[in-house]
Amino acid sequence: MRTPRPLPAQLGGAFTVQDAQDADVPPNRLRRADLDAPFFGVRAKIVDTDYTELDIFDRQAAERRAQARTYAPRLQTAQFLSHESAVAILEGPLPLVTAKGEAVDGTTLPVHVSTLGSGPLVRTSGVTAHRADPRTTRMVEIQGFLVADPATAWAQLGSWSVPSLVALGDYFCRVWREGPGRPHAGRSPLATIAELRDRITGVRRHGIRRLREAIELVREDSWSPRESKLRCLIVRSDLPEPLLNHDIYDDYGRFLGCYDLVYPDQKVAIEYNGLVHATKYAADVERIAALRAAGWIVIEVTSELFARPDALLARIRRALGR
């Protein structure tokens, strides 16, 4: 089989059939085996992407992001990627979509496209269409196409659970503070809590009660969605709210580490140990041992413990003397 002739460079990895015709690409070239037709009127170069090193959350998000980018060339005036597709492009935390207990292929999930105002909605297979109110919608341009800005995307997702909304809000609103070993100090947050609140104030939104509950729980110092959801569990169980990613020093001023959730008065620290911790397990053991030697109680939370919230909360209450 002959190697297909190269496509014009300006078409990029995904393009519309109309753009190909405008670039004088013959119709038979668009039917060659190196191109896929993921959406009506769109062609995409087939790329063998390896996601095996990513966890299931990151893999599904990467697949959703790739699918959204593939559709992007077909966006018309006043149309933009929104909802979960915008979150994927913005690299925010997405709830895992499963079927029969397994994570589904993110490329099989719909791309979300909103139309601003009264323009025509998208009607094609593989796309979920929405209509956006210009008064409550802001967009940003990313890689040449329009995407809901972080605050707008967050406000569009009232169908999510409160913990998932809080995790997303925490991600968008993280303030990159200075401290020992902290990366990107001074980087601007993607959104502010005030911007999130503005998008849900005085307007009708699907899931407005969940959004209103979630906005009161969004914070600026959470570093991961797992930390955010753990904090939600604690606070919604009427336990006091811990400090987030708090630097701890011993009585001699020696830095003992930065810990996920901390009750400094009670000398209790809570650490969520995800899969990523396996590569630095030995360092974590020594760090936590040093904190315990300084008189602190350290509660290590695994995914297995988090799946038993009653047992986890009981452990925290005992540590706090409640």
Side-chain angles (χ1 to χ4, degrees):
M1 180 181 295
R2 292 192 313 174
T3 301
R5 75 177 188 180
L7 292 162
Q10 70 266 27
L11 291 179
F15 51 88
T16 65
V17 171
Q18 183 61 57
D19 285 342
Q21 293 172 348
D22 292 344
D24 297 323
V25 177
N28 65 333
R29 177 63 182 88
L30 300 180
R31 295 191 291 270
R32 296 300 297 270
D34 65 325
L35 293 177
D36 188 19
F39 303 98
F40 180 79
V42 175
R43 297 293 182 271
K45 295 177 183 178
I46 295 176
V47 179
D48 186 16
T49 305
D50 184 8
Y51 295 127
T52 55
E53 293 188 1
L54 300 178
D55 69 24
I56 56 175
F57 288 89
D58 290 341
R59 180 170 67 247
Q60 189 177 88
E63 292 164 347
R64 297 185 80 151
R65 187 158 49 249
Q67 195 73 344
R69 286 173 174 158
T70 298
Y71 183 83
R74 203 185 134 168
L75 292 170
Q76 302 297 310
T77 301
Q79 292 177 354
F80 60 98
L81 297 173
S82 63
H83 296 73
E84 285 88 349
S85 297
V87 174
I89 294 293
L90 294 165
E91 300 190 7
L94 288 156
L96 189 69
V97 180
T98 61
K100 297 181 180 179
E102 299 289 334
V104 305
D105 183 338
T107 62
T108 66
L109 296 171
V111 173
H112 292 265
V113 177
S114 287
T115 297
L116 198 63
S118 58
L121 296 177
V122 175
R123 301 193 184 282
T124 193
S125 178
V127 173
T128 297
H130 309 268
R131 191 171 300 284
D133 187 337
R135 297 171 299 176
T136 59
T137 300
R138 302 291 182 273
M139 298 164 289
V140 292
E141 184 175 315
I142 298 178
Q143 297 180 347
F145 53 89
L146 292 177
V147 180
D149 82 343
T152 298
W154 182 84
Q156 291 175 326
L157 294 166
S159 61
W160 285 16
S161 70
V162 169
S164 292
L165 285 169
V166 173
L168 181 59
D170 284 357
Y171 170 80
F172 285 148
C173 297
R174 176 178 174 180
V175 173
W176 299 79
R177 306 187 195 279
E178 294 184 357
R182 297 191 182 198
H184 313 302
R187 176 191 286 181
S188 298
L190 297 177
T192 65
I193 295 175
E195 288 171 338
L196 268 57
R197 192 184 301 278
D198 179 68
R199 296 295 196 279
I200 63 170
T201 300
V203 296
R204 297 181 64 181
R205 289 281 189 190
H206 176 66
I208 190 64
R209 290 184 179 179
R210 285 186 292 272
L211 290 163
R212 286 171 178 162
E213 182 180 355
I215 192 62
E216 301 304 326
L217 296 171
V218 173
R219 299 292 182 265
E220 297 176 338
D221 290 298
S222 181
W223 292 3
S224 79
R226 293 174 179 86
E227 291 175 23
S228 297
K229 292 181 179 181
L230 176 54
R231 185 182 85 252
C232 279
L233 175 65
I234 292 170
V235 174
R236 296 173 90 195
S237 300
D238 294 325
L239 284 168
E241 182 169 348
L243 300 181
L244 304 178
N245 290 289
H246 183 66
D247 294 334
I248 298 177
Y249 297 82
D250 67 12
D251 294 339
Y252 302 97
R254 181 169 60 100
F255 179 64
L256 297 177
C258 179
Y259 288 82
D260 297 343
L261 302 100
V262 176
Y263 296 98
D265 292 342
Q266 294 87 354
K267 299 188 77 171
V268 173
I270 305 171
E271 280 282 281
Y272 194 108
N273 295 325
L275 294 176
V276 70
H277 286 70
T279 58
K280 57 187 187 73
Y281 175 74
D284 278 350
V285 168
E286 293 303 316
R287 183 171 63 97
I288 290 171
L291 190 61
R292 286 180 171 139
W296 284 72
I297 297 172
V298 183
I299 299 173
E300 298 178 75
V301 181
T302 62
S303 58
E304 189 276 336
L305 178 57
F306 189 73
R308 297 185 292 119
D310 290 344
L312 171 56
L313 292 169
R315 195 171 300 183
I316 295 171
R317 287 193 179 97
R318 283 196 301 272
L320 295 177
R322 287 177 168 260

